[in-house]
Amino acid sequence: MNRHRNVLSVSLALPAFALFFASCATAPDNKSTTATTTVTPPATQTLTLVPRPQKIVDLMKGRGEQDEAKPALKIVSPAKGAVINGSTVDVKLDLSGDLKGYMPHKDPTTGKGNHIHVILDNQPYEAYYDLNEPFELRNVIAGKHTLRVFPSRPWHESYKNEGAFQMVEFTVKGGGDAAKPTTTNTGQTMANNNSSAAPKPTREGKEMASSSAGALDPAKPLLTYSRPKGEYKAEDANPIMIDFWLTGAKLKGDGGDYRVRYIVDDDDAKYIDKWEPIWLSGWINGKHSVRLELIDKDGKPVDNGGYNTTTREITVTK
Ligand SMILES: [Cu+2]
């Protein structure tokens, strides 16, 4: 990551400077040059692409046919193009399609289960576990917004069938307090509106300026960032899955022209050419940035309201 390299280059530059001046000076005092032996080089990270983890393969076996389900979501509220007065937006979803037993639900003992990923604008998603319970966005600030939803598995891999993903644009009039985050009725943060009055955002890289929709064209190719996000602890940090949703674009390996480029920290860019999750192992402790970008056949990023290039910060604690 950037910070590590910067620390390294500073720690190398300082003794070099000291040496340069020491050689010009008349009174040799090489204390500063001998001190370099105590500098420990920072750990470096080499990520490796690994197959789907066995524990997920085993989980899938216990799920019957659920992973072949074709869940279809509808956003009942907010309606497409709705104008909402105030700052609270009711989210109502309708789940249908060929479910094969797929049903969002949080297991009270494990805290895991099938759930829906709900994304306000281009913020990190929040999980919606029980569609019979209300899901409200509170303190949504005035302006145009987008809401994106898609069904997900307990390990956060999204369903990628036709009809699984839905998006609406809506407008909030009046709106909430931009000095405070947008949350759900259960306190999940949907957007840290990042006003100067707000506390320094530390959570999941929700550092976007006041959250509103970009100049998005739903008919154009759209890459929706889903995972990774947030904190990864112990065995959850090895490996870590990258997963996303694609609309209006087919990747090279699926018979199309597009590629998804990913960049972790300041590593070289890598490409995903099939619309499937990938797993990367070898993460070291600390904060990492993960950037996902939709690239066209000429190798250029495809712009769509700024949503097709998304960078998230995640924290790894092993
Ligand atoms: Cu999830």
Side-chain angles (χ1 to χ4, degrees):
M1 108 179 261
N2 255 326
R3 192 156 41 84
H4 292 149
R5 300 242 167 122
N6 288 343
V7 169
L8 178 64
S9 56
V10 167
S11 61
L12 290 179
L14 282 178
F17 250 104
L19 200 62
F20 175 74
F21 282 108
S23 63
C24 302
T26 48
D29 176 2
N30 58 357
K31 245 184 216 159
S32 54
T33 55
T34 51
T36 56
T37 51
T38 62
V39 175
T40 325
T44 53
Q45 172 175 281
T46 309
L47 295 177
T48 325
L49 207 57
V50 295
R52 176 181 290 269
Q54 189 58 42
K55 63 176 179 193
I56 294 180
V57 174
D58 294 342
L59 271 175
M60 290 172 81
K61 279 182 196 149
R63 283 163 54 84
E65 293 184 294
Q66 275 185 65
D67 292 309
E68 281 82 61
K70 292 192 163 34
L73 268 181
K74 274 203 187 91
I75 301 177
V76 180
S77 165
K80 211 166 228 168
V83 177
I84 294 150
N85 287 303
S87 64
T88 299
V89 178
D90 269 326
V91 176
K92 285 201 185 80
L93 305 178
D94 178 66
L95 178 67
S96 62
D98 184 10
L99 295 176
K100 298 192 192 304
Y102 175 85
M103 195 47 70
H105 174 70
K106 187 191 257 182
D107 185 311
T109 49
T110 63
K112 291 182 176 168
N114 293 318
H115 56 281
I116 311 292
H117 286 192
V118 180
I119 301 174
L120 176 66
D121 302 325
N122 200 25
Q123 302 286 342
Y125 79 83
E126 282 301 335
Y128 187 8
Y129 280 93
D130 186 347
L131 298 188
N132 298 315
E133 296 288 323
F135 192 95
E136 279 174 21
L137 309 178
R138 293 187 177 168
N139 195 46
V140 181
I141 63 163
K144 214 173 168 188
H145 296 278
T146 61
L147 192 74
R148 288 177 279 178
V149 296
F150 47 88
S152 196
R153 296 161 170 95
W155 57 94
H156 311 290
E157 178 182 349
S158 58
Y159 281 83
K160 298 178 174 62
N161 56 284
E162 178 110 40
F165 173 97
Q166 291 298 326
M167 174 168 77
V168 290
E169 291 178 277
F170 63 95
T171 300
V172 165
K173 286 234 164 106
D177 179 357
K180 291 179 185 151
T182 303
T183 67
T184 66
N185 48 311
T186 56
Q188 296 162 290
T189 303
M190 294 302 297
N192 188 323
N193 292 311
N194 202 33
S195 147
S196 51
K200 267 256 172 276
T202 51
R203 191 176 162 277
E204 298 181 4
K206 294 200 182 204
E207 67 289 296
M208 283 178 72
S210 25
S211 187
S212 57
L216 191 76
D217 182 350
K220 273 194 180 168
L222 180 66
L223 169 69
T224 299
Y225 184 113
S226 182
R227 297 290 289 195
K229 74 149 201 163
E231 285 189 23
Y232 289 79
K233 283 184 181 144
E235 55 167 21
D236 287 340
N238 194 34
I240 289 175
M241 177 186 72
I242 293 183
D243 192 40
F244 53 90
W245 236 92
L246 265 186
T247 21
K250 238 187 200 175
L251 300 187
K252 261 173 109 173
D254 299 323
D257 289 327
Y258 295 90
R259 310 185 83 183
V260 170
R261 178 159 75 188
Y262 68 94
I263 302 172
V264 176
D265 300 333
D266 55 359
D267 290 352
D268 291 338
K270 301 237 164 55
Y271 291 88
I272 300 171
D273 285 326
K274 268 183 163 288
W275 185 20
E276 286 164 2
I278 63 161
W279 281 267
L280 297 172
S281 83
W283 301 81
I284 61 171
N285 280 347
K287 286 187 171 166
H288 300 280
S289 70
V290 178
R291 170 164 145 187
L292 283 192
E293 235 168 342
L294 185 63
I295 302 296
D296 69 13
K297 61 178 189 308
D298 303 316
K300 294 203 180 88
V302 183
D303 183 44
N304 194 355
Y307 285 19
N308 283 341
T309 298
T310 303
T311 306
R312 294 263 186 270
E313 193 173 82
I314 61 165
T315 306
V316 169
T317 324
K318 287 208 271 197

